[in-house]
Amino acid sequence: MIQGIGASAGIAIGKAFVLPNWEWDLPETGIDAVDLASEFERLYEGIRTSKNEIEYIKNEFRDIVGEEESSIFDAHLAILDDPVFMNEIQGVIERQYKAAEVAVKEAIDHFVTMFDLLDDEYMKERAMDIKDVGNRLLKHLLGAPEITLPSDTQPYVLVVKELTPSQLAHLNPSHVLGVVTMMGGKTSHSSIMARALGIPLVAGLESKLPAPIQTGDLIVLDGESGHMFVNPDKRVVEQFECVRTEQQMKKEQLELLSAVESVTKDGTQMRLSANISSVKELDVAVKYGALGVGLFRTEFLYMDRSTFPSEEEQFEVYRQVVQKMDRCSTVIRTLDIGGDKQLDYFPLPQEDNPFLGYRAIRISLERQELFQTQLTAILRASAYGKVKIMYPMISSVEEVRQANQILHRAMADLDARGIAYDADIPVGVMIEIPAAAMIADLLAEESDFFSIGTNDLVQYVLAVDRMNEQIAHMYHPYHPAILRMLRTIVDAARNAGIPVSVCGEMAGDERSIPLWLELGVHDLSMSIQSLLRVKHRILNTSALEACSTAQQCYKLPTSTEIEKLLTDFNESSRAENQARKMDKGKDSHVS
């Protein structure tokens, strides 16, 4: 067995196809001064062709996986417009009289080396984007053909040193059983896209292979654990075939629970909603039994375009979501850009720490005309169903009051225009900053509801960037400090008589269920893929036993002990359920 990084879950078994590693080795081709103009024209034509190609790939890929994942290619387009990258290329041509392709190659090498030297896994993986874009530009400058994948219908496991998002976009998921990469990790764009496509991927195998993988070798990989086998014996193949079959059966069984209510064995009801980024996700959410939209990430409406969306454009999208949810509520989070979410047409200032900088509600309160336009569109949609407005990244009472002043201006504008809206629309805040948690009692007096965003809350409380592979092991959602902070937030909401829900990753983690039951949080919003799995666990959980387990968690001093206790409880509930099924089968057989 070879241990890699599990980057996209799933089992893959099949013959390897090894994608050749195309390394450019260019002669030092010089040019004369009189050729500078034509060389620059070659460069600009290559850039135009590359942009058109990337736009085509992006649009093609968007139809498969949606807006969020296809926006990865916006980063590639941005590189071709980046003045630093382009100045580097132009400088080599102009000052050293080198051909355009040589200048591009030197610029790629310069930036890739610079990023690789940084002690930051995220930046190392961004170097992959530079190489992808640069090689595309080189291809057009040299008139070189693309490396093509097998065109027949025989499924294969793709093996490659580095897999670029451009290459992944051309893969047919029905032909590609899985992917093995020598480089990369969980946070690379290719890993993100592989997860969106549902393709198992094991990464980071550089220097771990006893011998190079050859095309035709039998590969068995587990994209969750990161385990991989090359030409294993029949026993290993049969073992993983059984696991794969079992996973598929579980998926089909879970789908039978779509219309079943989420109620514990002893009668405690839980409300499960979906986190979405686009209208197209709603059909699957409804199919899986989501009882509403607990988080509509509106920032993705602002991406993949050249200008801010108008009031009318936003209204149409919000209206569609609200009407599709019928009598179920839709929580619409206002614009949350900044950090890792950038807009090409709205350049944000360079910051040493963008996650602690100019983002989310801070931008909205400064760009009030932009904020009012969005609030007006949301208010108009509220005439068509149950809508709630949620402000992100709130850290003070002043921010809530300022946001509400702009909301009231939007209401006055609609009154003047004679347009209907819900005058009593609930307005809440996302609790995702430690400051907000510590003044939750004060914020509760200004809010109609709370939604706990556990992703950022954990990151900020523990001062751990979970995108940084070097310290990702320190990102502990079950840290005692997190549990105490959750109780503080929930107690404040309860004392003020307002509802509280959870919309971060912890909401979709089965191990967290005892914590929510003990805290009295019965409203969870999660990724669509987590809905049925969490519902299944709730149906097979005793609220009484879960609360007892959670109370023990609050007495433990380490996240390791807390996580073990919650995991053990989860496994024991699963084992008890299996035993109950077996007993029922025996009784049926006897009768």
Side-chain angles (χ1 to χ4, degrees):
M1 184 194 76
I2 303 161
Q3 181 66 58
I5 299 170
S8 180
I11 303 295
I13 304 171
K15 295 294 183 69
F17 175 79
V18 181
L19 192 65
N21 186 33
W22 195 342
E23 293 291 346
W24 300 97
D25 186 15
L26 303 176
E28 289 285 324
T29 307
I31 59 172
D32 294 328
V34 294
D35 296 326
L36 281 175
S38 61
E39 208 61 26
F40 277 121
E41 183 53 40
R42 284 185 63 226
L43 174 65
Y44 300 147
E45 179 58 31
I47 291 170
R48 283 191 293 271
T49 306
S50 297
K51 283 184 176 180
N52 290 337
E53 197 170 60
I54 292 171
E55 285 284 5
Y56 176 81
I57 294 171
K58 175 186 171 184
N59 293 333
E60 194 177 52
F61 195 72
R62 181 175 53 208
D63 294 337
I64 301 173
V65 299
E67 236 16 274
E68 183 173 354
E69 284 74 18
S70 67
S71 66
I72 285 169
F73 291 103
D74 289 333
H76 288 203
L77 291 168
I79 290 170
L80 289 171
D81 286 325
D82 187 279
V84 178
F85 182 59
M86 298 316 299
N87 286 342
E88 181 77 17
I89 297 171
Q90 291 167 340
V92 174
I93 296 173
E94 193 168 21
R95 291 189 297 272
Q96 300 179 36
Y97 295 101
K98 292 184 178 180
E101 59 268 22
V102 177
V104 170
K105 178 66 166 59
E106 288 190 9
I108 296 171
D109 292 343
H110 169 73
F111 284 103
V112 168
T113 300
M114 183 172 65
F115 282 8
D116 281 344
L117 289 174
L118 295 175
D119 192 19
D120 185 322
E121 194 63 31
Y122 180 81
M123 293 306 294
K124 289 178 187 290
E125 290 173 350
R126 296 296 72 77
M128 185 64 183
D129 293 330
I130 294 279
K131 291 173 73 173
D132 190 6
V133 173
N135 279 330
R136 181 175 299 281
L137 182 51
L138 278 175
K139 181 193 73 172
H140 292 304
L141 288 170
L142 295 169
E146 292 260 19
I147 296 178
T148 57
L149 296 167
S151 57
D152 59 27
T153 56
Q154 181 63 43
Y156 57 90
V157 174
L158 183 65
V159 179
V160 61
K161 182 175 182 180
E162 295 175 305
L163 183 66
T164 69
S166 298
Q167 291 169 325
L168 189 52
H170 286 299
L171 298 183
N172 184 336
S174 64
H175 293 174
V176 182
L177 301 170
V179 177
V180 175
T181 68
M182 302 302 111
M183 313 294 287
K186 288 183 179 179
T187 62
S188 71
H189 281 159
S190 293
S191 296
I192 294 169
M193 291 167 67
R195 290 193 289 272
L197 288 167
I199 299 175
L201 189 152
V202 172
L205 290 172
E206 184 84 321
S207 75
K208 295 181 180 178
L209 295 170
I213 298 173
Q214 304 294 327
T215 294
D217 284 344
L218 179 62
I219 301 292
V220 174
L221 67 86
D222 183 342
E224 184 168 0
S225 67
H227 296 161
M228 190 194 74
F229 301 82
V230 181
N231 295 320
D233 59 35
K234 186 178 179 182
R235 179 185 56 82
V236 171
V237 175
E238 290 175 346
Q239 175 188 340
F240 278 88
E241 283 176 341
C242 289
V243 173
R244 184 176 59 185
T245 301
E246 185 178 339
Q247 288 180 351
Q248 183 59 34
M249 289 175 61
K250 283 182 179 178
K251 181 181 177 183
E252 292 171 359
Q253 289 171 354
L254 285 176
E255 290 180 359
L256 298 175
L257 301 177
S258 298
V260 178
E261 290 190 346
S262 303
V263 184
T264 65
K265 291 193 297 184
D266 42 3
T268 300
Q269 188 156 16
M270 303 286 281
R271 178 184 174 84
L272 305 186
S273 300
N275 297 339
I276 68 165
S277 303
S278 65
V279 179
K280 68 172 64 177
E281 296 172 80
L282 279 181
D283 289 336
V284 180
V286 172
K287 174 186 173 184
Y288 286 175
L291 296 180
V293 172
L295 172 63
F296 182 9
R297 303 183 183 93
T298 61
E299 51 271 17
F300 293 102
L301 294 178
Y302 292 72
M303 297 178 178
D304 187 31
R305 51 186 302 127
S306 57
T307 59
F308 287 108
S310 66
E311 175 191 318
E312 199 63 33
E313 287 175 303
Q314 294 186 64
F315 162 65
E316 282 300 325
V317 174
Y318 303 148
R319 181 184 59 78
Q320 287 181 52
V321 172
V322 172
Q323 288 183 319
K324 270 185 175 257
M325 293 315 298
D326 196 17
R327 290 180 293 275
C328 297
S329 67
T330 299
V331 180
I332 302 180
R333 183 177 69 185
T334 60
L335 184 61
D336 185 9
I337 57 170
D340 61 342
K341 289 173 279 190
Q342 305 286 325
L343 304 179
D344 292 340
Y345 55 88
F346 182 53
L348 297 174
Q350 291 292 320
E351 299 175 292
D352 290 336
N353 200 331
F355 283 95
L356 299 180
Y358 187 54
R359 57 173 295 204
I361 198 67
R362 299 168 183 179
I363 293 176
S364 295
L365 293 179
E366 183 171 297
R367 294 290 303 269
Q368 294 189 12
E369 75 291 345
L370 177 70
F371 192 32
Q372 185 171 330
T373 297
Q374 181 177 33
L375 291 174
T376 303
I378 296 173
L379 285 170
R380 288 176 61 187
S382 71
Y384 295 84
K386 295 182 179 179
V387 177
K388 298 180 182 180
I389 296 174
M390 181 163 66
Y391 303 139
M393 208 179 176
I394 291 294
S395 61
S396 68
V397 168
E398 290 90 340
E399 288 172 332
V400 178
R401 290 177 177 174
Q402 289 174 39
N404 283 337
Q405 286 175 2
I406 300 169
L407 176 63
H408 291 144
R409 289 209 299 266
M411 289 179 170
D413 172 57
L414 289 175
D415 287 337
R417 290 155 59 187
I419 298 177
Y421 65 91
D422 179 6
D424 297 317
I425 188 169
V427 180
V429 298
M430 200 162 178
I431 305 293
E432 53 187 335
I433 295 179
M438 297 309 294
I439 61 166
D441 57 331
L442 303 178
L443 290 173
E445 296 299 323
E446 309 280 335
S447 309
D448 294 318
F449 67 92
F450 282 166
S451 185
I452 305 173
T454 58
N455 300 1
D456 273 340
L457 186 64
V458 174
Q459 184 167 241
Y460 290 139
V461 169
L462 302 183
V464 172
D465 180 359
R466 64 198 182 107
M467 298 295 285
N468 185 335
E469 289 288 339
Q470 287 194 302
I471 58 171
H473 64 281
M474 299 174 66
Y475 182 89
H476 291 301
Y478 302 106
H479 192 289
I482 302 299
L483 268 60
R484 294 184 184 193
M485 197 159 279
L486 291 174
R487 187 174 291 286
T488 298
I489 298 166
V490 175
D491 285 348
R494 183 179 295 113
N495 292 337
I498 65 171
V500 58
S501 63
V502 184
C503 64
E505 286 187 13
M506 284 181 72
D509 188 338
E510 301 166 67
R511 297 171 300 177
S512 299
I513 292 172
L515 300 177
W516 309 133
L517 287 167
E518 197 273 338
L519 288 170
V521 176
H522 298 150
D523 197 340
L524 307 176
S525 188
M526 62 200 69
S527 68
I528 295 169
Q529 291 76 18
S530 300
L531 283 167
L532 294 177
R533 180 170 43 78
V534 171
K535 180 185 287 189
H536 179 262
R537 179 51 40 219
I538 290 170
L539 292 169
N540 291 285
T541 295
S542 159
L544 186 64
E545 294 173 3
C547 289
S548 175
T549 298
Q551 288 162 7
Q552 294 177 54
C553 289
Y554 279 93
K555 300 175 184 177
L556 297 174
T558 70
S559 52
T560 302
E561 292 171 281
I562 293 170
E563 188 168 351
K564 183 179 186 305
L565 181 59
L566 291 172
T567 300
D568 288 347
F569 175 79
N570 197 31
E571 292 301 322
S572 65
S573 297
R574 183 178 286 113
E576 182 183 327
N577 182 50
Q578 286 295 110
R580 191 166 59 249
K581 282 184 177 179
M582 290 177 66
D583 288 342
K584 188 180 291 185
K586 289 178 183 177
D587 293 342
S588 174
H589 182 70
V590 170
S591 61

